[in-house]
């Protein structure tokens, strides 16, 4: 795999795309690329699972194809659809011009010309730059029948269109599945993949990530932001902030020309880091000051 032929090379390549990852994640990524195995990333929302697929695609110069999962997603919607509007126009045109027999018209309607390719079919097609990166995002939002279909598709790297036949990938795509663990994904699908739990990063790692994504933030502000967010994650919140929220909050503070956190600034900008009103309400008044004081005390102890 060009540019990612060792664990160190994977880390370097991802850092070149402003994606900072630890040795364990770099190792499982290297193995997934080396062995041609799907990579299953599970963890809380906002910990960088989706971003690694984007970083890998950019580092390798490959096309990124994203299948965003949702409740009710079925295999047909993930693979292909027929362009019914164009088919109806063809039918009306044939009728108006006294077109040929119905069997011939039917065979003409179900051809590549009227096929709308969805992500899984797109990923099976050859790409000029090489096999694409197929991101199957938030697979935990789907149901068990779709998981079973995915297991079959990822085992053989092929999909079937009844009217056209089977499409087999000449080279398997690089497959990355993500889950926020809103429910347990079936073991059979997980066993098909290499697995990694993407956790919230330690303080030093999150500082590295913030430097990469918001390099214009001053060191003092960056350390206060990360320390405060990490302190927030120890609270009993409905939704703990992820790394994505740390980055968003830092950028909001920079846009406001903030150079240091204060309870007032925190109260005014909490919507960038917390996404539920009940959580925001808990941080009003003295709570924000308490957490900020504790975060600063932690920074002083760390030196």
């Amino acid at each position: 795999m060009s540019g990612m032929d060792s664990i160190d090379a994977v880390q370097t390549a991802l850092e070149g795309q402003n994606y900072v990852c630890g040795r364990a994640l770099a190792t499982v990524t290297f193995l997934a690329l080396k062995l041609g195995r799907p990579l299953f990333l599970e963890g809380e929302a906002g910990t960088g699972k989706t971003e690694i697929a984007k970083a890998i695609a950019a580092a390798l110069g490959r096309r990124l194809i994203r299948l965003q999962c949702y409740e009710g997603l079925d295999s047909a919607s993930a693979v292909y659809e027929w362009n019914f509007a164009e088919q109806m126009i063809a039918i009306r045109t044939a009728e108006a011009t006294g077109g040929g027999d119905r069997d011939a018209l039917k065979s003409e309607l179900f051809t590549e010309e009227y096929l709308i390719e969805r992500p899984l079919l797109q990923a099976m097609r050859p790409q000029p730059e090489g096999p694409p990166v197929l991101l199957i995002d938030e697979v935990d939002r789907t149901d068990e029948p779709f998981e079973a279909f995915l297991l079959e598709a990822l085992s053989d790297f092929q999909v079937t269109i009844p009217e056209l036949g089977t499409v087999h990938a000449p080279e398997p795509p690089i497959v990355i599945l993500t889950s926020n663990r809103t429910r347990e994904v079936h073991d059979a699908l997980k066993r098909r993949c290499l697995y990694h739990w993407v956790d919230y990063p330690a303080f030093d790692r999150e500082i590295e990530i913030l430097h990469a994504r918001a390099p214009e933030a001053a060191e003092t502000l960056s350390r206060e932001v990360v320390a405060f967010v990490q302190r927030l994650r120890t609270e009993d919140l409905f939704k703990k902030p992820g790394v994505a929220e740390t980055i968003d909050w830092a950028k909001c503070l920079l846009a406001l020309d903030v150079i240091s956190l204060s309870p007032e600034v925190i109260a005014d900008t909490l919507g960038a880091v917390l996404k539920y009103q009940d959580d925001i309400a808990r941080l009003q008044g003295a709570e924000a000051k308490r957490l900020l004081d504790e975060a600063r005390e932690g920074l002083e102890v760390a030196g």
Side-chain angles (χ1 to χ4, degrees):
M1 190 66 63
S2 177
M4 292 193 177
D5 52 2
S6 70
I7 298 169
D8 290 337
V10 168
Q11 282 189 293
T12 301
L14 294 180
E15 286 171 5
Q17 303 301 321
N18 292 328
Y19 189 94
V20 179
C21 72
R23 183 79 176 179
L25 180 53
T27 300
V28 75
T29 300
F30 166 73
L31 291 172
L33 295 172
K34 182 77 171 178
L35 302 176
R37 294 279 298 280
L39 176 58
F40 191 102
L41 301 176
E42 197 167 42
E44 298 292 339
T47 51
K49 302 183 298 297
T50 298
E51 291 300 313
I52 193 172
K54 298 177 181 178
I56 290 171
L60 293 174
R62 304 292 178 81
R63 180 185 176 189
L64 175 67
I65 298 172
R66 181 174 181 173
L67 173 62
Q68 179 61 55
C69 298
Y70 55 86
E71 186 177 352
L73 176 65
D74 58 18
S75 57
S77 300
V79 178
Y80 74 99
E81 291 182 66
W82 290 109
N83 191 334
F84 293 118
E86 290 294 328
Q87 287 174 323
M88 287 303 299
I89 291 172
I91 291 170
R92 295 287 183 260
T93 301
E95 290 174 347
T97 58
D101 64 79
R102 296 175 64 88
D103 290 339
L105 177 60
K106 183 178 178 180
S107 64
E108 290 173 5
L109 289 175
F110 293 99
T111 60
E112 296 275 357
E113 180 182 355
Y114 298 102
L115 187 68
I116 300 175
E117 297 187 355
R118 296 306 183 196
L120 287 182
L121 180 55
Q122 293 173 17
M124 303 298 171
R125 300 293 197 186
Q127 306 289 329
E129 62 273 16
V133 175
L134 172 61
L135 169 62
I136 303 174
D137 214 7
E138 299 183 330
V139 69
D140 54 316
R141 292 182 179 272
T142 62
D143 53 23
E144 291 188 4
F146 186 75
E147 282 185 32
F149 165 75
L150 270 184
L151 182 62
E152 181 181 356
L154 297 181
S155 296
D156 301 326
F157 292 105
Q158 65 182 31
V159 292
T160 299
I161 303 170
E163 298 86 352
L164 297 178
T166 299
V167 178
H168 187 274
E171 291 184 82
I174 299 166
V175 181
I176 298 175
L177 302 95
T178 75
S179 167
N180 293 335
R181 209 176 188 181
T182 57
R183 69 171 181 84
E184 286 293 335
V185 175
H186 199 279
D187 285 347
L189 183 58
K190 283 187 175 181
R191 286 198 302 270
R192 180 70 185 82
C193 310
L194 296 180
Y195 176 87
H196 185 79
W197 174 264
V198 184
D199 209 346
Y200 296 119
F203 179 83
D204 289 343
R205 180 73 64 191
E206 195 158 3
I207 285 288
E208 284 186 64
I209 294 169
L210 189 55
H211 285 338
R213 294 304 182 96
E216 62 275 25
E219 181 69 18
T220 299
L221 180 62
S222 295
R223 291 176 65 82
E224 284 189 347
V225 165
V226 171
F228 187 85
V229 171
Q230 295 217 335
R231 186 66 191 81
L232 267 181
R233 291 180 189 137
T234 67
E235 297 292 300
D236 184 21
L237 299 175
F238 182 77
K239 174 65 181 69
K240 297 183 189 335
V243 180
E245 282 72 39
T246 303
I247 297 167
D248 285 346
W249 193 29
K251 289 181 177 178
C252 288
L253 295 172
L254 287 170
L256 295 172
D257 296 321
V258 172
I259 59 175
S260 181
L261 290 181
S262 68
E264 295 74 23
V265 166
I266 292 170
D268 290 343
T269 58
L270 266 179
V273 69
L274 296 176
K275 307 302 180 182
Y276 289 88
Q277 175 55 29
D278 289 349
D279 289 343
I280 292 174
R282 288 195 55 190
L283 270 292
Q284 300 302 318
E287 273 298 289
K289 182 179 186 307
R290 176 182 69 82
L291 290 176
L292 179 58
D293 289 344
E294 290 177 0
R296 284 176 170 158
E297 286 174 11
L299 289 174
E300 289 175 6
V301 170

